[in-house]
PDB file of all heavy atoms in Angstrom:
ATOM      1  N   ALA A 979    -199.572 -82.855 -73.519  1.00  0.00           N
ATOM      2  CA  ALA A 979    -200.240 -83.930 -74.198  1.00  0.00           C
ATOM      3  C   ALA A 979    -200.395 -83.695 -75.693  1.00  0.00           C
ATOM      4  O   ALA A 979    -200.133 -84.545 -76.537  1.00  0.00           O
ATOM      5  CB  ALA A 979    -201.610 -84.281 -73.547  1.00  0.00           C
ATOM      6  N   GLN A 980    -200.843 -82.451 -75.998  1.00  0.00           N
ATOM      7  CA  GLN A 980    -201.011 -82.084 -77.376  1.00  0.00           C
ATOM      8  C   GLN A 980    -199.656 -82.017 -78.120  1.00  0.00           C
ATOM      9  O   GLN A 980    -199.569 -82.432 -79.286  1.00  0.00           O
ATOM     10  CB  GLN A 980    -201.761 -80.756 -77.487  1.00  0.00           C
ATOM     11  CG  GLN A 980    -203.213 -80.811 -77.047  1.00  0.00           C
ATOM     12  CD  GLN A 980    -203.952 -79.507 -77.327  1.00  0.00           C
ATOM     13  OE1 GLN A 980    -203.414 -78.602 -77.936  1.00  0.00           O
ATOM     14  NE2 GLN A 980    -205.207 -79.448 -76.872  1.00  0.00           N
ATOM     15  N   PHE A 981    -198.691 -81.537 -77.406  1.00  0.00           N
ATOM     16  CA  PHE A 981    -197.344 -81.445 -78.037  1.00  0.00           C
ATOM     17  C   PHE A 981    -196.777 -82.857 -78.309  1.00  0.00           C
ATOM     18  O   PHE A 981    -196.130 -83.071 -79.341  1.00  0.00           O
ATOM     19  CB  PHE A 981    -196.379 -80.673 -77.147  1.00  0.00           C
ATOM     20  CG  PHE A 981    -195.018 -80.456 -77.789  1.00  0.00           C
ATOM     21  CD1 PHE A 981    -194.897 -79.726 -78.940  1.00  0.00           C
ATOM     22  CD2 PHE A 981    -193.912 -81.003 -77.168  1.00  0.00           C
ATOM     23  CE1 PHE A 981    -193.633 -79.568 -79.545  1.00  0.00           C
ATOM     24  CE2 PHE A 981    -192.697 -80.842 -77.724  1.00  0.00           C
ATOM     25  CZ  PHE A 981    -192.530 -80.114 -78.926  1.00  0.00           C
ATOM     26  N   GLN A 982    -197.034 -83.772 -77.391  1.00  0.00           N
ATOM     27  CA  GLN A 982    -196.600 -85.160 -77.601  1.00  0.00           C
ATOM     28  C   GLN A 982    -197.229 -85.722 -78.875  1.00  0.00           C
ATOM     29  O   GLN A 982    -196.591 -86.451 -79.642  1.00  0.00           O
ATOM     30  CB  GLN A 982    -196.959 -86.012 -76.388  1.00  0.00           C
ATOM     31  CG  GLN A 982    -196.170 -85.699 -75.103  1.00  0.00           C
ATOM     32  CD  GLN A 982    -194.778 -86.241 -75.135  1.00  0.00           C
ATOM     33  OE1 GLN A 982    -194.287 -86.685 -76.170  1.00  0.00           O
ATOM     34  NE2 GLN A 982    -194.103 -86.213 -73.989  1.00  0.00           N
ATOM     35  N   ALA A 983    -198.504 -85.423 -79.051  1.00  0.00           N
ATOM     36  CA  ALA A 983    -199.200 -85.893 -80.271  1.00  0.00           C
ATOM     37  C   ALA A 983    -198.595 -85.251 -81.482  1.00  0.00           C
ATOM     38  O   ALA A 983    -198.444 -85.922 -82.546  1.00  0.00           O
ATOM     39  CB  ALA A 983    -200.689 -85.561 -80.184  1.00  0.00           C
ATOM     40  N   ALA A 984    -198.250 -83.982 -81.389  1.00  0.00           N
ATOM     41  CA  ALA A 984    -197.677 -83.251 -82.554  1.00  0.00           C
ATOM     42  C   ALA A 984    -196.320 -83.847 -82.880  1.00  0.00           C
ATOM     43  O   ALA A 984    -195.972 -83.988 -84.099  1.00  0.00           O
ATOM     44  CB  ALA A 984    -197.543 -81.748 -82.239  1.00  0.00           C
ATOM     45  N   ILE A 985    -195.548 -84.185 -81.841  1.00  0.00           N
ATOM     46  CA  ILE A 985    -194.188 -84.796 -82.042  1.00  0.00           C
ATOM     47  C   ILE A 985    -194.324 -86.128 -82.782  1.00  0.00           C
ATOM     48  O   ILE A 985    -193.583 -86.452 -83.684  1.00  0.00           O
ATOM     49  CB  ILE A 985    -193.467 -85.001 -80.695  1.00  0.00           C
ATOM     50  CG1 ILE A 985    -193.062 -83.658 -80.096  1.00  0.00           C
ATOM     51  CG2 ILE A 985    -192.240 -85.879 -80.858  1.00  0.00           C
ATOM     52  CD1 ILE A 985    -192.432 -83.744 -78.740  1.00  0.00           C
ATOM     53  N   ALA A 986    -195.317 -86.946 -82.352  1.00  0.00           N
ATOM     54  CA  ALA A 986    -195.500 -88.252 -83.014  1.00  0.00           C
ATOM     55  C   ALA A 986    -195.813 -88.102 -84.465  1.00  0.00           C
ATOM     56  O   ALA A 986    -195.279 -88.835 -85.309  1.00  0.00           O
ATOM     57  CB  ALA A 986    -196.650 -88.974 -82.264  1.00  0.00           C
ATOM     58  N   ILE A 987    -196.701 -87.137 -84.822  1.00  0.00           N
ATOM     59  CA  ILE A 987    -197.017 -86.931 -86.210  1.00  0.00           C
ATOM     60  C   ILE A 987    -195.812 -86.389 -86.994  1.00  0.00           C
ATOM     61  O   ILE A 987    -195.553 -86.836 -88.102  1.00  0.00           O
ATOM     62  CB  ILE A 987    -198.212 -85.936 -86.336  1.00  0.00           C
ATOM     63  CG1 ILE A 987    -199.465 -86.517 -85.630  1.00  0.00           C
ATOM     64  CG2 ILE A 987    -198.499 -85.673 -87.814  1.00  0.00           C
ATOM     65  CD1 ILE A 987    -200.595 -85.593 -85.576  1.00  0.00           C
ATOM     66  N   ALA A 988    -195.017 -85.462 -86.344  1.00  0.00           N
ATOM     67  CA  ALA A 988    -193.857 -84.947 -87.005  1.00  0.00           C
ATOM     68  C   ALA A 988    -192.827 -86.029 -87.249  1.00  0.00           C
ATOM     69  O   ALA A 988    -192.209 -86.080 -88.301  1.00  0.00           O
ATOM     70  CB  ALA A 988    -193.286 -83.789 -86.167  1.00  0.00           C
ATOM     71  N   ASN A 989    -192.679 -86.918 -86.288  1.00  0.00           N
ATOM     72  CA  ASN A 989    -191.701 -88.024 -86.454  1.00  0.00           C
ATOM     73  C   ASN A 989    -192.140 -88.975 -87.587  1.00  0.00           C
ATOM     74  O   ASN A 989    -191.297 -89.527 -88.317  1.00  0.00           O
ATOM     75  CB  ASN A 989    -191.569 -88.804 -85.165  1.00  0.00           C
ATOM     76  CG  ASN A 989    -190.796 -88.011 -84.107  1.00  0.00           C
ATOM     77  OD1 ASN A 989    -190.072 -87.062 -84.423  1.00  0.00           O
ATOM     78  ND2 ASN A 989    -190.963 -88.366 -82.855  1.00  0.00           N
ATOM     79  N   THR A 990    -193.459 -89.168 -87.732  1.00  0.00           N
ATOM     80  CA  THR A 990    -193.923 -89.945 -88.825  1.00  0.00           C
ATOM     81  C   THR A 990    -193.626 -89.308 -90.141  1.00  0.00           C
ATOM     82  O   THR A 990    -193.207 -89.998 -91.114  1.00  0.00           O
ATOM     83  CB  THR A 990    -195.476 -90.110 -88.691  1.00  0.00           C
ATOM     84  OG1 THR A 990    -195.805 -90.753 -87.438  1.00  0.00           O
ATOM     85  CG2 THR A 990    -196.023 -90.944 -89.826  1.00  0.00           C
TER      86      THR A 990
END
Side-chain angles (χ1 to χ4, degrees):
Q980 291 188 5
F981 183 63
Q982 292 283 12
I985 290 175
I987 299 174
N989 289 339
T990 301

